[in-house]
Amino acid sequence: MSASDPQPVIRAENLAVAFDGRTIFKDVSFEVQRGEIFVILGGSGCGKSTLLKALIGLVPLAAGHAWLLGEELAEANDRDRRALLQRIGVMWQSGALFGSMTLAENVELPIEEHTRLPRPAREALARSKLGLVGLGDAAARLPAEISGGMAKRAGIARAMALDPPLLFLDEPGAGLDPITSAGLDKLIKDIARDTGTTFVVVTHELQSILAIGDRCIMLDKDAQGIIAEGDPRRLRDESEQPTVRAFFRREAA
């Protein structure tokens, strides 16, 4: 991050989420810097995906404040909220593609909704985004006609349709074989390097965490919050916290 751009892309202060009186997490604070691949990790049920949804306003906060790109989403009026949400992209775990639309049409959808570009320009931009993720030859195919790994790539292409500076990926490697997952990891790193896009990636896939993560936070279900933060490789090699050691070394708790 340059001296002329000191503001973190995400700043979270003392976040808490609770459902039906049950605390999912509390006192969660962290920052994400521009250009980072920041990983939210932890075991099943610790609140990783819930934290992602809370950051983008899909889950209400019980306490705390979160700023994205310098703006607090929860405090924004409708116009500012819509403008801010156009500056972020999200890929959900399944890819969340519309089954009746081709890959190109899926990617074109947010462009059509949020811009006034003529149709030829929208179509060209959609094809460009699919090319960026290695799907240039699959633009006319339907989601049912492609593999799970291709669906994830198409989901990333759609999330990038409006050139957002911030991308959220929810379990991008879930359900993929090791080779396909490694290819997706490389794609994420390449996009971050080539475009300067900041990534927030929710995952429990250890190989992906170590392959792509610049920094991470680890959530824990029992602790109801963050139990570790930093370079995931250093956490693997140096952490003395038993739960962190067990996670990174694949040891039974």
Side-chain angles (χ1 to χ4, degrees):
M1 195 170 54
S2 68
S4 62
D5 187 21
Q7 192 174 65
V9 176
I10 297 176
R11 181 159 61 95
E13 291 185 356
N14 302 315
L15 304 187
V17 168
F19 295 129
D20 299 324
R22 181 174 68 90
T23 298
I24 307 301
F25 55 76
K26 59 186 178 182
D27 299 324
V28 168
S29 299
F30 61 91
E31 292 185 350
V32 179
Q33 309 302 336
R34 188 168 304 278
E36 280 191 314
I37 301 177
F38 185 87
V39 179
I40 301 172
L41 62 94
S44 299
C46 68
K48 301 185 299 295
S49 292
T50 300
L51 176 56
L52 184 155
K53 292 175 183 176
L55 289 171
I56 62 176
L58 294 181
V59 169
L61 291 170
H65 302 273
W67 291 264
L68 305 181
L69 302 169
E71 300 184 49
E72 188 171 8
L73 187 63
E75 299 298 321
N77 59 39
D78 287 345
R79 180 179 177 180
D80 291 344
R81 181 184 179 89
R82 287 194 298 271
L84 177 56
L85 290 175
Q86 289 178 37
R87 298 177 65 207
I88 68 174
V90 183
M91 189 215 75
W92 300 109
Q93 182 172 338
S94 65
L97 302 174
F98 291 99
S100 61
M101 304 172 70
T102 66
L103 300 191
E105 289 168 341
N106 266 280
V107 177
E108 187 182 342
L109 190 62
I111 306 171
E112 181 178 5
E113 181 177 357
H114 296 295
T115 77
R116 296 182 179 180
L117 290 175
R119 184 172 181 178
R122 298 197 308 265
E123 291 175 343
L125 187 54
R127 288 194 300 270
S128 172
K129 297 304 179 185
L130 286 169
L132 187 64
V133 300
L135 293 177
D137 294 333
R141 297 171 72 175
L142 294 170
E145 300 172 334
I146 62 175
S147 67
M150 293 171 73
K152 303 280 182 123
R153 288 173 176 262
I156 292 175
R158 186 174 63 185
M160 296 179 62
L162 298 175
D163 293 320
L166 175 59
L167 281 181
F168 292 87
L169 309 183
D170 186 26
E171 297 284 5
L176 301 181
D177 65 80
I179 294 176
T180 303
S181 182
L184 193 61
D185 291 340
K186 182 179 184 302
L187 174 66
I188 293 168
K189 291 182 69 175
D190 288 347
I191 292 172
R193 181 196 64 219
D194 295 342
T195 68
T197 302
T198 303
F199 281 85
V200 176
V201 182
V202 169
T203 185
H204 64 270
E205 302 285 343
L206 184 56
Q207 289 301 112
S208 290
I209 293 165
L210 297 173
I212 68 174
D214 295 315
R215 285 193 308 119
C216 69
I217 54 172
M218 182 171 181
L219 301 180
D220 181 71
K221 184 176 181 180
D222 293 332
Q224 297 181 330
I226 297 174
I227 59 170
E229 179 174 0
D231 183 324
R233 290 155 292 273
R234 292 194 64 179
L235 294 180
R236 175 196 60 190
D237 297 338
E238 300 176 11
S239 178
E240 297 298 325
Q241 214 279 359
T243 303
V244 177
R245 285 167 54 91
F247 181 91
F248 278 100
R249 301 179 187 186
R250 296 180 178 270
E251 299 171 348

